[in-house]
Amino acid sequence: MPGIEIKGITKVFPGGVTALDSLDLTIEDGEFFALLGPSGCGKTTLLRTIAGLETATSGQIHIGDRDVTPLPPGARKLAMVFQDYALYPHMTVRDNIAYPLKVKKVSRPQRATEAESAGASLSLDHLMERRPGQLSGGQQQRVALARAIATRPDAFLFDEPLSNLDARLRLEARTFLKQLQRELSTTAVFVTHDQSEALALADRMAVMESGVIRQVGTPSELFHRPANLFVAGFIGSTPMNLIPGTITAEGVAFEGGVLPVEDVPSSASGDVYYGVRPEYVRLDESSALRGTVAITENLGTEYLVTVDFGGAQVKATVEEGFEPQPGETVGIVPATKRVLLYERESGILR
């Protein structure tokens, strides 16, 4: 199946609001690609521009070897699954699945065959005569997916399709969606503001902020080596510790002492942010770097412990049953191989 290439896409809305600012992005053939970022960063605008629902102010979009920039949505051979599923309430499941084929003037027998096949692939056989109002949220989502599959698109576009589901169903749907995309081997672009969804689903992902892409890479690359402060603070179920300090020969000096760094050059200097994830900070009573426990948060099998160093705070995760109490004095030991340093002024990874 074709990949998607975006070249210099800019989208300026009336009033001069720039939603997309000269974006370049390549999504590989058969890849599950996530667009991640906070509300208002431009990710949905980019998805709608790929779909043709928004017209780019400038730039080009290629799907495979086709330049689809001037084409209307119906000619782009894409299928989009919306946040609210956009099912027709007066139609049965069968008719909802078949409707895009009817628009394309596919014959009635062929529409019926394709609808039955797509419905069966998503275990909707026994629901084909029901209407959307008679279905659960998870069932409605599967109908929307079946409708997308039936059109045999070059790529799937997903606009936060899991956000209307409860927590348990979201986890189930996430696994199902990934398996489905693998089986179909179709390029998929998935928009979400939930970084845990993006990390779990994507082969690669892009983090967006204010209409620009801040970093592109695999989930592992973005988690372990975020390229700038924005990505470092955004990725991770527990935010990365980003502690302002100054490089010295011993490490990074901050309000509470000196934080260790592996292989600090003797000539190194400057103001930085010391970045280390809570998962890579352990409590150790023998450590000389000591602070006071400000708060503990129950994460289920772990506790997130916030240690105060007279203003600067460092978070660490500890196993359930070993959590200290607020007010206790504890020592911390960051894993130096996991430490990242960011330029204070530019926010860029050193």
Side-chain angles (χ1 to χ4, degrees):
M1 303 301 293
I4 300 171
E5 187 172 7
I6 296 163
K7 299 179 180 179
I9 283 292
T10 296
K11 174 63 178 179
V12 181
F13 285 107
V17 177
T18 301
L20 304 173
D21 191 1
S22 300
L23 295 188
D24 293 312
L25 181 64
T26 299
I27 298 168
E28 301 295 342
D29 171 18
E31 186 172 45
F32 198 120
F33 194 94
L35 294 173
L36 175 67
S39 297
C41 71
K43 56 189 185 296
T44 295
T45 300
L46 178 55
L47 193 76
R48 289 174 61 85
T49 303
I50 295 170
L53 301 176
E54 299 286 353
T55 302
T57 305
S58 62
Q60 292 181 315
I61 299 172
H62 287 80
I63 298 175
D65 58 1
R66 297 185 301 139
D67 181 357
V68 302
T69 314
L71 299 182
R76 296 193 179 198
K77 295 187 67 177
L78 301 173
M80 191 162 180
V81 178
F82 295 90
Q83 184 175 354
D84 60 1
Y85 312 134
L87 302 178
Y88 297 105
H90 64 288
M91 291 184 182
T92 64
V93 167
R94 177 179 286 102
D95 290 341
N96 263 287
I97 295 172
Y99 186 73
L101 301 174
K102 182 178 181 181
V103 173
K104 294 177 181 291
K105 310 292 187 189
V106 175
S107 68
R108 185 188 294 269
Q110 183 65 21
R111 293 202 306 266
T113 299
E114 294 292 345
E116 290 294 337
S117 175
S121 70
L122 297 178
S123 302
L124 293 169
D125 320 56
H126 62 296
L127 302 173
M128 297 296 276
E129 298 306 320
R130 293 192 187 180
R131 287 177 168 76
Q134 300 171 302
L135 305 177
S136 68
Q139 290 168 337
Q140 289 183 36
Q141 183 206 45
R142 281 189 282 147
V143 175
L145 289 170
R147 183 175 60 187
I149 291 169
T151 63
R152 301 178 184 268
D154 284 346
F156 293 114
L157 307 179
F158 297 107
D159 187 10
E160 303 200 41
L162 309 183
S163 61
N164 288 337
L165 304 178
D166 62 48
R168 182 187 63 81
L169 203 53
R170 284 180 80 161
L171 288 175
E172 292 178 3
R174 196 169 75 184
T175 302
F176 171 77
L177 193 60
K178 182 67 173 177
Q179 290 175 336
L180 178 65
Q181 190 269 339
R182 285 260 173 95
E183 290 170 6
L184 297 173
S185 299
T186 305
T187 305
V189 186
F190 183 91
V191 161
T192 182
H193 63 271
D194 185 332
Q195 47 86 24
S196 64
E197 281 182 4
L199 290 171
L201 285 168
D203 298 315
R204 285 192 310 138
M205 56 198 285
V207 177
M208 295 183 64
E209 180 193 21
S210 302
V212 299
I213 293 174
R214 300 302 304 271
Q215 188 175 357
V216 177
T218 66
S220 179
E221 288 167 350
L222 268 67
F223 183 86
H224 291 293
R225 288 194 64 81
N228 50 68
L229 285 173
F230 178 79
V231 178
F234 193 79
I235 294 290
S237 55
T238 53
M240 181 182 286
N241 291 299
L242 293 168
I243 306 151
T246 303
I247 295 181
T248 68
E250 291 76 33
V252 174
F254 78 121
E255 291 184 28
V258 178
L259 290 159
V261 179
E262 193 171 68
D263 300 326
V264 181
S266 58
S267 60
S269 62
D271 293 333
V272 296
Y273 281 98
Y274 182 99
V276 63
R277 295 198 177 278
E279 295 88 345
Y280 302 134
V281 180
R282 62 183 173 86
L283 303 187
D284 189 332
E285 289 305 310
S286 65
S287 173
L289 193 57
R290 303 183 69 77
T292 303
V293 176
I295 191 170
T296 61
E297 301 169 59
N298 190 340
L299 304 180
T301 59
E302 295 179 318
Y303 273 77
L304 182 64
V305 179
T306 302
V307 184
D308 186 83
F309 291 89
Q313 293 187 331
V314 180
K315 296 180 185 293
T317 57
V318 299
E319 288 184 29
E320 179 187 18
F322 294 91
E323 68 278 4
Q325 297 302 309
E328 286 186 31
T329 299
V330 297
I332 66 163
V333 179
T336 55
K337 289 185 177 181
R338 299 291 190 176
V339 169
L340 303 171
L341 299 180
Y342 294 88
E343 298 286 354
R344 186 90 66 89
E345 186 173 341
S346 68
I348 300 300
L349 179 65
R350 273 198 168 202

